[in-house]
Amino acid sequence: MASRVHETILECINEAQSSVSIEDKKQALQTLVTVTKVSPQNRNLVAQTDAAVATLLDLSKSPDSLPQIQTLSLSVLFNLSLNPNLKLSLARLDTILLLNDLVLLSSSDEPRRLAASLLCSLAMLDKNKAKFGVAGTVQVLLKAISGPRSTAAHHLLSSLAELVQFHGNCTVAVRAGAVPVLIAVAESTNGEDLSGTALSILGLLARFEEGLNELREAESVVARLVGILKRGCMLSKEGACEILLRLFEESQDCLREAVELPEFSTVLADVSVRGSGRVREKAAMLMKKIMDADLF
């Protein structure tokens, strides 16, 4: 059985590489998507096949006139990246730069979504995270996130969230203007899951001094976070509470600004009884901060 699968993989790679027929290429790539979708062993077989990864990368550069070829190639590469043992070898600089270009320059959402998903999958290996910082992926993701909203937005944010688990990438993100970009996404009413993810990333940036300082200096940041606390989904409320806690711990001015907002106590009281368990816990911590503070 294994030998038969290996023969099929060899045939598909050869067909994808050399066939002049677009339909034959599609069929070969679709077969590779199928055989790598659920089988780690088959993923290893494809990765070990001569020129397989290089062929898939080359086909991922297909022009807009061949969108299915590009999408299928990226799908196979994404499947390969699900194997932990393949993440390091797949995260070559030329591959990362190709994915960066697809995120920024692709004219359709599907290749952008797959490229962002592949970036995220490869970044899950801690040894790879610094590579993306060097290759400019953090800046690319922020530029794409700040552009017109697309169906790939959640995938772009998830990739950024994975990259900023690494301190060096947090620094890169802050210096590239991540804080205002993410606050704007968090305030958007277009997607509650996007808002929650953006706030989660801001919370990761706030773990370090450069991120926290940038948040403190953001325009009307306390009022904006209270606004999110008032109208956001549970994930957004949790993220807003977490960031407010960090700000209050570091700045009496931020705490005073919150207390002076007419709606703050009402919003906090509402969240403390109607939120999820985690949100209620964080709201209680915020209340304690206020009661313990000597503001005037």
Side-chain angles (χ1 to χ4, degrees):
M1 181 66 176
S3 61
R4 186 183 303 173
V5 172
H6 194 209
E7 287 176 11
T8 299
I9 289 170
L10 286 170
E11 290 171 6
C12 288
I13 294 298
N14 184 60
E15 195 73 29
Q17 189 177 37
S18 59
S19 178
V20 295
S21 166
I22 299 301
E23 286 304 316
D24 287 346
K25 284 183 184 290
K26 285 184 193 175
Q27 185 58 54
L29 290 167
Q30 184 59 65
T31 300
L32 289 174
V33 171
T34 301
V35 300
T36 58
K37 195 167 188 177
V38 296
S39 172
Q41 293 80 11
N42 289 350
R43 295 171 197 150
N44 285 330
L45 284 174
V46 171
Q48 292 161 7
T49 301
D50 287 344
V53 172
T55 297
L56 292 166
L57 288 170
D58 191 52
L59 292 172
S60 297
K61 303 172 189 175
S62 293
D64 290 340
S65 59
L66 299 174
Q68 286 181 293
I69 298 296
Q70 185 179 55
T71 297
L72 289 168
S73 303
L74 288 168
S75 297
V76 180
L77 287 167
F78 175 73
N79 288 348
L80 297 186
S81 76
L82 297 177
N83 274 24
N85 63 300
L86 297 179
K87 291 183 188 291
L88 187 63
S89 60
L90 287 171
R92 292 163 46 94
L93 181 60
D94 56 344
T95 301
I96 295 171
L97 293 175
L98 167 62
L99 296 175
N100 287 354
D101 286 345
L102 290 174
V103 164
L104 271 186
L105 304 176
S106 180
S107 62
S108 63
D109 283 350
E110 187 64 8
R112 187 178 297 114
R113 181 186 68 79
L114 284 166
S117 296
L118 182 49
L119 285 170
C120 185
S121 179
L122 295 176
M124 287 178 180
L125 181 70
D126 287 344
K127 288 183 178 180
N128 284 341
K129 284 182 168 62
K131 295 181 183 180
F132 292 99
V134 172
T137 303
V138 172
Q139 293 93 326
V140 164
L141 290 170
L142 284 169
K143 187 172 181 179
I145 291 165
S146 64
R149 191 60 49 83
S150 73
T151 58
H154 186 71
H155 300 83
L156 298 169
L157 284 165
S158 295
S159 298
L160 184 60
E162 189 61 46
L163 287 176
V164 298
Q165 301 285 342
F166 176 62
H167 185 183
N169 289 337
C170 281
T171 301
V172 171
V174 170
R175 293 176 180 175
V179 169
V181 168
L182 293 168
I183 291 176
V185 173
E187 290 182 304
S188 171
T189 57
N190 293 337
E192 291 185 343
D193 58 335
L194 300 181
S195 175
T197 305
L199 286 161
S200 296
I201 299 170
L202 284 168
L204 291 170
L205 298 181
R207 293 174 302 167
F208 306 109
E209 185 176 359
E210 63 265 34
L212 191 57
N213 286 342
E214 198 73 15
L215 270 164
R216 285 170 57 185
E217 294 171 10
E219 183 179 357
S220 304
V221 65
V222 172
R224 296 167 79 179
L225 287 168
V226 172
I228 293 167
L229 198 57
K230 180 179 179 180
R231 65 179 180 272
C233 65
M234 281 303 155
L235 182 58
S236 297
K237 291 177 189 293
E238 182 180 337
C241 282
E242 180 65 36
I243 295 168
L244 284 170
L245 280 169
R246 290 185 184 275
L247 290 172
F248 291 174
E249 286 169 3
E250 295 295 322
S251 170
Q252 287 285 94
D253 289 341
C254 286
L255 183 51
R256 184 178 292 107
E257 185 181 340
V259 172
E260 290 175 350
L261 290 170
E263 61 184 353
F264 181 60
S265 58
T266 303
V267 170
L268 201 56
D270 182 64
V271 171
S272 68
V273 296
R274 296 203 306 122
S276 65
R278 288 176 61 87
V279 172
R280 290 199 301 269
E281 178 185 350
K282 293 182 186 300
M285 293 169 69
L286 286 169
M287 285 183 169
K288 187 174 188 306
K289 286 276 183 191
I290 292 167
M291 289 186 292
D292 292 348
D294 182 14
L295 296 175
F296 304 101

